[in-house]
Structure formats: structure tokens, C-alpha cells
Amino acid sequence: MSRERILAEIRRSLKRREALDENVRRGIEARNADIHPHVQPAYDEDLVERLVRKHRDLHGSVEPIDTALHIVNAVIAYLRDNDLPQRLVAADRAPVKDLPWGDGVTCEHRPARGDDAVALSVADAAIAETGTIVVVSSPDSPMTHNYLPEHHIVVVPVSVVVRWQEDVWRILRKRPDFPPRGIAMISGPSKTADVEQTIEYGAHGPRNVHLLLLGDGQARGA
Amino acid sequence: MTVAQSSKAFKVRSRRALLDNDLREALGRARGGFVEQRRAAFEALPEFEALRDAANEIREHTLSHLDYYLERYAANVEINGGTVHWASTAEDMNRIVVDICRRAGAKLVTKGKSMVSEETDLHHALKAAGIERMETDLGEYIIQLADEPPSHIIAPAVHKTRAQITELFHANHARFGIEGRAEDRTAIVAEARRVLREAFLSADVGITGANFLIAETGSNIIVTNEGNGDLTSCLPKVHIVTAGIEKVIPTLEDLSVFLRLLGRSATGQEMSAYSTLYSGPARPGDSDGPAEYHVVLLDNGRSTMLGNEFHEMLRCIRCGACLNHCPVYSHIGGHAYGWVYSGPMGSVLTPLFKGLEESYDLPNACTLNGRCQEVCPMRIPLPSLLRRLRQRQVEAKITPARQRLALSMWSRLAARPRVYRFVTNLSMRSMAWLGRRRGALRYLPAGRGWTRGRDMPAPEGATFMTRWRRRGEQDT
Ligand code: SF4
């Protein structure tokens, strides 16, 4: 009822009696089928270098690692350096799925709870343009990992680093679950400027976003 | 008890005076910061003008086929497993939201920043239904405790000092077992985190706004720095998105254009910390996420605005740049505008939503310096829209004779820049004092005869929007 009333009022304001005629509709559909980016900021910095620089500017930290075997050691060192308990929640997908954590560390694959201090995720993409990490939700990758724990460690394979935001849309459209339920674009840690207009980190979400930049075993080029 | 009484009065007076300085200081700081950061962000972006062109083209394209895009968006939300509700009026929206909450047996709802729920006064509807609401944006939470409306759309508690926040927390957080006072910034933020985390985890329903709705995917996007919008979206078993019908855009590529403008215009950030697209409820196999996902599309006069001389206002992306660059706003703060939308965009929107009589002064509290239009990423001709509103006021004859005289004197004065500047400078300083009052501006600078004669014209009963609609009917 409200729906019809609103649509009728819109059409009246647009000086149209009916829904669109076929020609106009086809024109609109053509516009939206012809997928291309509009205006993108030009830059010629190396993609990975820019990602790292931008992410650090956003108050995040980065640690390069050579292979997936180094994830365990890097995480354990991070927990130790930050005085954190030796436990975490992690995505249930490669390359963080079946890692040899050893006896001292508890790693669970489940959604985050209010008292989890650390989550370990895998980036589906990373946008060099703005230093943004993209994590897509799925049964293996719960959304709560991105927002509840105080520390968010994200494995970013260099192969997922893209130049612009629109590259992410291009990649995601190929997924069978497109559009996924959640597409998290994360640009640095949680922050607020609501007290004295001065930035404090760790407002509701992570105080730190720590990237484990996972090399592809090859010499790096742009 | 005369001593006690007078000291009480003294306290009130001195607190007011203090507040006044605090307010000016805070506004100055926010303004300086936002203005400077915005400038730096756009200086580093040679594509700024091209992005503005693209954004305007997208918005105009969408608005001129708004029926098509809304239907397409709604169809895709349903494919994702969500439910779309259409609300013609503010009351419709509140009723829909309260019904969903009731069906969910909700006792507590968390809210991410949502302008439209302020617009519809959802708070009171929830309260009347016995449902507790917790604002989760730190600024919104602070003013909820203070029982005040937001004073800035990006920084809602910009007028509150640290000491005031400390006291508010102390007075309200005993029930959470928190005894001491959080004095410094870090302690304040940590205490808010602790209290609000409990709310996030125990809320039955989460209500957020939407910065955009994407027709292609049936998604809403929510942009925040704190992550409160995401915790509100992810944790409760029911997620309700409230959004004006003008928020829809066609595709993800179109979204990227707006995201490049939004953060930079608002706070000078290339990207806010969290920009998240949500498409429906939890999927089979998901281990978290809401069981229900609802969208309430609010019209509340927008569809009428689409066809009249104020349709450009529908391009607004609520970035707040026009507020930050407005000399009037930065002297008096948001509360003086008397409603949820403030600054130049509020001076246009409030009379359109609330009626010309109720907000008589807003279109007139403008120096027509044009800064707002220059910085507006959507190139909305705010000064022209304000002029049109003034003209409507005169046409609608809601201004007593003396006001019209003063208005014409004002415009004659405004035609002489040097004299005008001198006079407005004087009055700006007094406006800081006036701005402390809640409610609309009752006194205007350099127009005393005009405001004194004006006090409270009898409302005619019909709002501007409804009169416009009638007018439109006569015209066709
Ligand atoms: S009118 Fe323009 S500058 Fe003001 S909030 Fe809207 S988009 Fe931003």
C-alpha cells in the first residue's frame, strides 16, 4: 500500500504516469550492464609498497612473511609482544586452517565472543589505493572476527593486492555466492574523535590491525 | 533558603557561561580540524572535480528513474532473503520498526548512527513501546545520556567537553558496576567500550542507517570509524536498516565514486575505518549474522521534493562539509537549528520536512557567502535553495509585515558588502550566545525589529510539503 503510494508520488513528481517505457528501461539496463569504473585516482607507486604505506598511515602495523609456514611463529610473537593470552579465534580456511599451533596456543574456528582478544583472518583482497583490507563473510569466515576482538591479525597474500576499489567488485562478481552477505572494507583500526575531537584508537573494534603480508615466493614487481 | 536559591541560580548562570565558552572552543576546534583536513585531502586528489561530476551525474540519473531503482533494489533485497518495508510517513516508519521489535520480543535495541530515525523521532516510539534503546556511536551515546539532540551530523557530541563527559558517565554508569571517574580520553573511551560491548552482545535488535543502498546487489553500506555500525549489524538476531528513498544508487562502481568523496568531505579521510556492505540475513552454514534482515524505506516528503524546485537537495550524502564551512553554524552550533539536520543542509531540509512556519528563521540565518555550495561534493546550490525558501515564505504570506520590511532591509544591507560584514561580524558574536538556547533561532542578528515583531506566527496547520502538494495538484 505504502509502496504503491510512494511509487505513484515519485512518478507524479517525475511527470510520468506509468513505470518506465521499454526503451528507457532498456537504456538503463544497458548502462548498468556496461560495467566500468568512473573516475579513479591515478598513481604509479608499487602496489604492495603503497598498501603498506597507506595501512601504516592509518595506524595499522605490517609484517612481511615468506611462506604460510611462518604464520604460526608470527602470531605467537605478536601475542607475546603485546602481552596477550596465547589464544585466538581464526577463519576456517586456507592458509590459516590447519596450522601446527603446538601445545601452548589455543586456536578455535568459531565466531568471536565478547572476550576474545585476537582474531586471525584472511584477506580476500587488499586495495593499494587506500590501504584497505577486504574480508568477505562466509561460513568459514565469520563477520564478528573483524569487529569484536581488540587485535585483528589479517593474512594478506600479495596476490590479492589490487590497484583500485573497483577491482574488488570485479573479483567478487565472479564468486558463486555474489553478493556475499558481508563485504568488510577495513581501513586501519577502530577509532573515535568524539572526545575533544582527538583521535583515540580501539573505540569498539580492534585497537590494532596487524597485516601478515604473505609473499608469493617470487621476486616482487609492480 | 535565599542563599541556597541564589547560589543555585548562580551555578546555573555560571555553568551557562562556561558552556558557552566550551561550545565556542569545541566548535572552533572541530571546524578548524575538519576544514583543514578536507582541504589537504582534496589537494592530494587531482580527480576531485571529475569525481564530483560523476557523482552528480549518477545521482541525477538515479533520481530521475527512482521508481525503477527502488523496485530493483527491493527485488534484490528479497532475493538475498531480506524484507523491504515502505514507509510514507515518519509515523509509518516508527510503527513498522516497533512492530518488528515487538515480534522479536525485543527488550533492548542497539542503534548505529541513523539520521532518519532522528528525523522520525523513532526514539520516542520505542520508548512508548517500552523498548530500551542504546545509541552506540560514542558521540550519540554521550548525547543520549545528556538527553540532547545531536549538534553535528558527523560529530554529534562536538559541544561536550571532556569534563562533562566524565560526569555524565559517572552519573550513569553506576548501574554497570563502574565506580570511579574516567578522567582522561583513553579512560573515557575504554569505559564506553566496556558498557556498550555489553549492549551489543545482549541486544535483541540492531538498527542502523545506510549511507547508500545498492540496487545491483540489494545491499546497504554503512560507513563508520568506530565499528559500532558493524557490531549493531552483526550481533543481534534481527537487523533493521532505515534509509531515505533517495539513498539508492545503481551499481558498486557507482558506489566507489561516492566513497571517494564521502570520507574526504566529512573528515578529510580517504576511507573511514569501516565501510561494510550487508546483503541480507545469515546464509545457510554461516556461524554468525542476524536471522532477520529488514529494510525500511522512508519517503516522508522526499517523493514530493523530487518534483519541485528543491529536488537538488535529494543529492545530499550527509557528509557535513557545508556545516563545517558555515560561519553561522560554527558560531552557534547545531542545537540552535532546533532539529536533527543543522547547518546549511538543515536550513533547507528542516523547513521542507517540518513546515515553513515552524522553522521560519532558518532560511534567513544565512549570510549567503556561498562557502557551503563551494565545498558541497554534490554541488547542491544551498544558497539558492535558501533564497527560494525565503521567497516561498513571502509568497505564503507567513511573514508579518514588519518582518518583510526587515527582510528587505537585510537584503539591501547585504548588497553593500563592507557595511554588511561589519554588522554581521558584530552579530555573529552575539549569536554564539543565542545559539545556546535550544530550539530554533528566535533572534536574528542585525534584524531586531524584525525578530521582535515576529515572535510566533500562528501555525496554519498544514506543512510546507503538504501545501506544495496541493499547489502541484492545482497546477496540473
Ligand atoms: S548539502 Fe552537500 S555539503 Fe552539506 S551535507 Fe549534504 S552533501 Fe554534504
Side-chain angles (χ1 to χ4, degrees):
Chain A
M1 198 190 66
S2 265
R3 173 187 175 120
E4 270 57 55
R5 202 184 324 154
I6 292 169
L7 291 172
E9 185 63 34
I10 288 171
R11 284 172 193 141
R12 181 157 45 164
S13 283
L14 294 174
K15 310 217 174 350
R16 269 199 274 117
R17 227 175 272 284
E18 282 304 312
L20 295 170
D21 75 52
E22 255 324 285
N23 278 339
V24 181
R25 178 182 285 265
R26 252 182 301 208
I28 297 176
E29 278 160 10
R31 174 205 188 268
N32 296 328
D34 174 29
I35 292 162
H36 66 273
H38 296 275
V39 182
Q40 300 175 305
Y43 67 88
D44 43 38
E45 202 173 343
D46 173 88
L47 294 192
V48 174
E49 270 169 28
R50 184 177 171 105
L51 177 77
V52 169
R53 177 175 69 81
K54 288 280 181 182
H55 179 74
R56 285 195 173 128
D57 285 352
L58 290 166
H59 220 255
S61 52
V62 183
E63 181 181 346
I65 53 173
D66 285 331
T67 71
L69 295 175
H70 294 83
I71 295 174
V72 168
N73 282 344
V75 170
I76 290 174
Y78 183 89
L79 299 179
R80 191 191 54 225
D81 293 350
N82 289 281
D83 276 329
L84 292 163
Q86 302 281 299
R87 57 184 310 139
L88 64 149
V89 287
D92 198 11
R93 54 181 284 195
V96 302
K97 200 174 161 65
D98 298 307
L99 291 172
W101 288 106
D103 288 343
V105 180
T106 313
C107 173
E108 294 174 85
H109 303 287
R110 55 161 172 77
R113 293 193 293 247
D115 56 355
D116 285 316
V118 182
L120 175 64
S121 305
V122 182
D124 292 273
I127 308 166
E129 175 190 355
T130 50
T132 300
I133 305 306
V134 183
V135 182
V136 172
S137 85
S138 72
D140 302 334
S141 184
M143 282 298 266
T144 41
H145 287 191
N146 303 321
Y147 310 114
L148 271 175
E150 286 201 30
H151 296 264
H152 193 196
I153 305 176
V154 187
V155 177
V156 183
V158 291
S159 58
V160 305
V161 180
V162 297
R163 182 171 288 273
W164 285 301
Q165 191 178 98
E166 288 89 340
D167 298 320
V168 178
W169 314 142
R170 191 170 42 75
I171 293 165
L172 292 185
R173 281 198 186 93
K174 293 186 189 137
R175 291 169 63 112
D177 64 348
F178 180 80
R181 170 172 65 96
I183 303 171
M185 291 189 275
I186 302 166
S187 308
S190 159
K191 60 190 168 189
T192 181
D194 279 333
V195 185
E196 298 183 308
Q197 294 79 54
T198 307
I199 291 184
E200 281 286 324
Y201 291 94
H204 292 300
R207 276 175 217 290
N208 189 30
V209 178
H210 185 65
L211 306 188
L212 298 180
L213 193 62
L214 176 60
D216 50 11
Q218 290 158 24
R220 227 182 54 214
Chain B
M1 296 304 290
T2 40
V3 175
Q5 272 161 8
S6 105
S7 76
K8 214 166 149 191
F10 171 74
K11 254 193 192 157
V12 172
R13 277 199 305 267
S14 51
R15 236 184 103 208
R16 273 203 194 145
L18 266 174
L19 265 172
D20 203 19
N21 285 331
D22 292 344
L23 174 67
R24 219 168 354 202
E25 214 179 280
L27 288 169
R29 201 161 39 211
R31 178 171 188 243
F34 286 147
V35 168
E36 184 44 43
Q37 285 154 25
R38 178 194 167 278
R39 196 186 52 73
F42 283 121
E43 266 177 18
L45 184 76
E47 293 83 2
F48 178 40
E49 293 303 328
L51 281 163
R52 278 172 117 183
D53 290 339
N56 276 294
E57 188 267 314
I58 295 164
R59 204 52 140 193
E60 284 299 330
H61 166 80
T62 318
L63 288 172
S64 46
H65 306 99
L66 189 58
D67 50 342
Y68 170 86
Y69 280 110
L70 284 172
E71 291 199 282
R72 196 177 149 75
Y73 165 75
N76 282 327
V77 173
E78 314 230 312
I79 288 173
N80 294 336
T83 311
V84 179
H85 309 260
W86 303 69
S88 286
T89 64
E91 294 73 40
D92 288 349
M93 183 182 113
N94 293 347
R95 190 173 21 81
I96 291 165
V97 172
V98 167
D99 280 353
I100 297 170
C101 292
R102 281 217 178 104
R103 272 204 305 279
K107 291 186 184 62
L108 173 67
V109 307
T110 44
K111 251 188 78 237
K113 207 150 69 178
S114 150
M115 304 294 296
V116 293
S117 68
E118 301 270 350
E119 179 184 322
T120 65
D121 204 9
L122 177 64
H123 309 170
H124 285 99
L126 288 171
K127 198 170 176 188
I131 298 164
E132 193 190 347
R133 157 190 66 102
M134 259 174 114
E135 295 294 337
T136 61
D137 171 88
L138 178 54
E140 297 264 353
Y141 176 65
I142 290 166
I143 60 169
Q144 180 183 15
L145 294 182
D147 195 21
E148 288 172 17
S151 65
H152 187 289
I153 59 176
I154 302 298
V158 65
H159 58 290
K160 286 274 175 250
T161 63
R162 179 160 50 86
Q164 289 171 334
I165 299 168
T166 299
E167 289 313 311
L168 272 174
F169 278 18
H170 184 65
N172 287 278
H173 286 175
R175 68 175 173 131
F176 302 107
I178 295 170
E179 294 294 324
R181 280 182 165 76
E183 305 271 1
D184 63 35
R185 264 197 315 274
T186 308
I188 288 173
V189 173
E191 185 168 318
R193 181 184 173 105
R194 183 174 150 195
V195 168
L196 286 166
R197 175 141 302 208
E198 281 310 308
F200 284 128
L201 292 166
S202 56
D204 310 289
V205 175
I207 302 175
T208 66
N211 294 85
F212 300 97
L213 306 172
I214 295 94
E216 174 192 4
T217 52
S219 319
N220 74 286
I221 182 164
I222 177 138
V223 177
T224 72
N225 274 311
E226 298 181 4
N228 62 308
D230 295 295
L231 290 168
T232 307
S233 304
C234 289
L235 289 170
K237 60 181 187 287
V238 177
H239 178 198
I240 305 176
V241 178
T242 57
I245 53 171
E246 83 284 14
K247 285 279 191 295
V248 68
I249 55 173
T251 68
L252 291 168
E253 274 70 15
D254 296 319
L255 173 67
S256 295
V257 171
F258 287 101
L259 288 183
R260 289 193 181 104
L261 290 169
L262 178 62
R264 286 177 172 96
S265 299
T267 53
Q269 291 174 278
E270 288 183 1
M271 284 284 275
S272 299
Y274 300 105
S275 307
T276 317
L277 285 146
Y278 289 98
S279 311
R283 308 259 169 102
D286 278 356
S287 53
D288 61 8
E292 291 177 35
Y293 175 90
H294 297 269
V295 183
V296 188
L297 294 172
L298 175 69
D299 183 342
N300 202 24
R302 289 166 172 81
S303 59
T304 307
M305 216 190 287
L306 186 64
N308 68 28
E309 66 209 280
F310 300 101
H311 78 272
E312 285 144 311
M313 202 57 217
L314 292 172
R315 295 205 298 260
C316 175
I317 58 171
R318 311 280 189 265
C319 70
C322 58
L323 278 68
N324 299 333
H325 291 78
C326 173
V328 177
Y329 173 87
S330 66
H331 279 78
I332 64 176
H335 288 164
Y337 292 80
W339 201 46
V340 42
Y341 302 115
S342 58
M345 53 90 86
S347 294
V348 175
L349 285 174
T350 305
L352 293 174
F353 284 130
K354 286 291 196 188
L356 278 177
E357 300 87 348
E358 276 193 46
S359 42
Y360 173 78
D361 292 316
L362 297 185
N364 300 290
C366 167
T367 67
L368 297 178
N369 64 77
R371 290 291 288 136
C372 50
Q373 180 174 354
E374 273 166 46
V375 298
C376 174
M378 302 310 295
R379 294 211 183 93
I380 298 171
L382 293 151
S384 309
L385 297 182
L386 289 169
R387 262 191 300 254
R388 277 173 221 163
L389 280 168
R390 294 182 195 183
Q391 209 183 321
R392 287 276 158 263
Q393 289 176 326
V394 175
E395 276 176 29
K397 296 207 171 54
I398 60 161
T399 54
R402 230 185 317 166
Q403 287 168 9
R404 248 176 291 146
L405 177 67
L407 189 62
S408 69
M409 276 169 60
W410 174 287
S411 45
R412 243 178 290 155
L413 185 63
R416 282 187 246 154
R418 276 188 45 208
V419 185
Y420 176 79
R421 232 172 294 148
F422 174 72
V423 179
T424 45
N425 254 330
L426 280 181
S427 6
M428 280 300 177
R429 257 171 275 154
S430 46
M431 277 176 98
W433 177 81
L434 295 170
R436 211 189 47 232
R437 293 160 164 271
R438 281 173 71 170
L441 271 178
R442 197 158 308 160
Y443 307 93
L444 268 174
R448 205 158 300 143
W450 162 21
T451 48
R452 204 184 292 144
R454 188 198 81 80
D455 219 357
M456 298 302 128
E460 294 181 356
T463 68
F464 177 64
M465 295 302 295
T466 54
R467 276 212 314 277
W468 238 103
R469 207 168 310 176
R470 268 186 238 140
R471 209 182 108 114
E473 277 164 13
Q474 282 155 14
D475 286 352
T476 47

